[in-house]
Amino acid sequence: MTKIGLIGLGTIGSGVVKILKENKTLITARTGTTIELKRVCDLDEKRAEMLGIRGIYSQNYKDLLNDPDISTIVEVIGGYEPARTIIIEAIRAKKNVVTANKAVIAKHGEEIFKAAEDNNVSIMFEAAVGGCIPIIKAIRESFAADKINRIYGILNGTTNYILTKMEEGLSYDQALKQAQELGFAEANPSFDVDGLDSAQKLKILSSLAFNAKIKDDILTWGITKINKSDIKYAKDLGYTIKLLAIAKEIDDEIELRVHPTMIPQTHELANIKNESNAIYLVGNNIDKAMLYGKGAGSMPTATVVVGDIIDIAKSSSITNYYSEEKKLKDINTITCRYYLRPNVLDKPGVFAMIADILGKNNISISGVSQKELGKDIVPITIITHNVRESDMMQAVDQINKLDVVKSKTVVIRIEDI
Ligand code: HSE
């Protein structure tokens, strides 16, 4: 029997309580072990009452850490603090820890894994990335014998939902509102729409896949500048726009970026719709593998939290988390094709000015289009050949300074995966 303490009775915590109760027999039959919820903690006592577990409620997390019967603490409160303090204190109290907290693992992972190693306990965090998708297990265990060299992830359900709904005709604001109503958006939508949630998840995945210490300087662009016309132009060109988290290890250099990306409509990732998440891995031996599923939500996420608890109970968890210092690629040196959409005055010589700037910055145009809209200000869409990031950023800056350019140029990188 394994006795656990659960800290946090919100979306995921309440799911954990339900699963442990409803699937008790199933869990015992499948694993040969029993898991008992010994104590729970939350600031709000009413949550415990609503779940029918008032009898094991405590308002002070230290009660759980000081209980000698409890061998595993489950932290599902989220955020940096007090989550980090609780996890570190739990580890020092020689408790194993299961967490769903991507923020704390992305920011304080090194400290936490070191503490777990020093105290000979396990730290498990499957639910931190991709909701119910067992991507951490896939990288750390199933594919441990391979060298993974590329990761392409749709790691944020909210932005994928928004982009899907915009493809179906909703405006950005309407789609965001729906995502919030459905309950998978972060409390602060900026975390989702500005790409920060995806960047935290990418940091965790790339550290594991590349066995590397990753610093925080991940190029991170969100989806707020994308409008319906970009989605339509992309479609006409055979592409779909996704907020993609990209990690590559090439020649011992690691390249990390999160940004709206045009990917071929025929690619598997292009068909990941709504709030679903997917992670597409490329490895030397496995070639390509894609894992797909619900990236958020109470019961899907709680299921893998309980999976981690079971792993610990069966003593099949992994404590070690060795990471090497590796060189991070200077993002200015990456090359890719780009989609540009400046909104310009429709008058003679304007396109020539833009083409001149592109040419002077070593940028070769692969395709260009301007629809006849009968308006004074019109969008021009430009697709380039392979271009160096620093050249493109300089050119875009110069284009945006032209008097005839009336709003900031939309820039989308193209990834011919
Ligand atoms: N806000 C996240 C998302 C869910 O939309 O995917 C939790 O990671």
Side-chain angles (χ1 to χ4, degrees), residues 102-257:
K102 68 210 151 200
V104 96
I105 293 294
K107 188 161 181 205
H108 301 292
E110 224 181 306
E111 179 194 10
I112 289 169
F113 296 121
K114 174 83 175 57
E117 207 177 335
D118 291 348
N119 288 279
N120 204 21
V121 294
S122 295
I123 165 90
M124 303 286 277
F125 51 96
E126 183 62 72
V129 182
C132 73
I133 304 171
I135 184 63
I136 307 287
K137 197 172 260 237
I139 293 175
R140 289 174 113 185
E141 299 180 42
S142 313
F143 301 153
D146 197 8
K147 174 136 183 51
I148 304 293
N149 47 52
R150 279 178 175 70
I151 304 169
Y152 300 98
I154 295 174
L155 301 179
N156 182 267
T158 302
T159 46
N160 203 48
Y161 184 87
I162 293 173
L163 292 172
T164 306
K165 291 298 161 196
M166 284 171 77
E167 269 174 17
E168 292 168 12
L170 289 196
S171 72
Y172 173 85
D173 288 335
Q174 287 169 326
L176 172 61
K177 191 160 172 281
Q178 279 193 4
Q180 285 171 322
E181 282 164 6
L182 286 165
F184 38 78
E186 297 294 311
N188 173 1
S190 157
F191 244 76
D192 294 303
V193 298
D194 291 334
L196 307 169
D197 176 76
S198 297
Q200 285 181 335
K201 292 168 177 167
L202 184 67
K203 188 174 172 190
I204 296 173
L205 292 186
S206 49
S207 327
L208 295 172
F210 305 149
N211 202 31
K213 287 184 183 168
I214 308 284
K215 304 220 170 52
D216 275 323
D217 33 12
I218 298 178
L219 174 92
T220 306
W221 287 19
I223 61 162
T224 55
K225 304 280 184 314
I226 309 290
N227 71 20
K228 278 196 274 183
S229 66
D230 297 313
I231 290 173
K232 186 178 175 315
Y233 294 137
K235 195 173 173 195
D236 292 347
L237 291 160
Y239 290 97
T240 301
I241 301 176
K242 293 290 183 192
L243 182 70
L244 222 58
I246 301 173
K248 301 181 185 180
E249 185 174 23
I250 304 168
D251 300 333
D252 286 332
E253 261 193 339
I254 293 173
E255 178 182 325
L256 300 172
R257 43 200 170 99

Side-chain angles (χ1 to χ4, degrees), residues 351-386:
F351 181 70
M353 283 188 236
I354 291 172
D356 184 51
I357 290 177
L358 294 176
K360 286 191 173 131
N361 284 288
N362 309 310
I363 296 165
S364 170
I365 296 169
S366 154
V368 63
S369 117
Q370 180 189 320
K371 301 256 189 307
E372 280 193 304
L373 297 177
K375 293 183 181 162
D376 293 342
I377 298 171
V378 291
I380 301 180
T381 55
I382 301 165
I383 302 281
T384 73
H385 286 293
N386 236 10

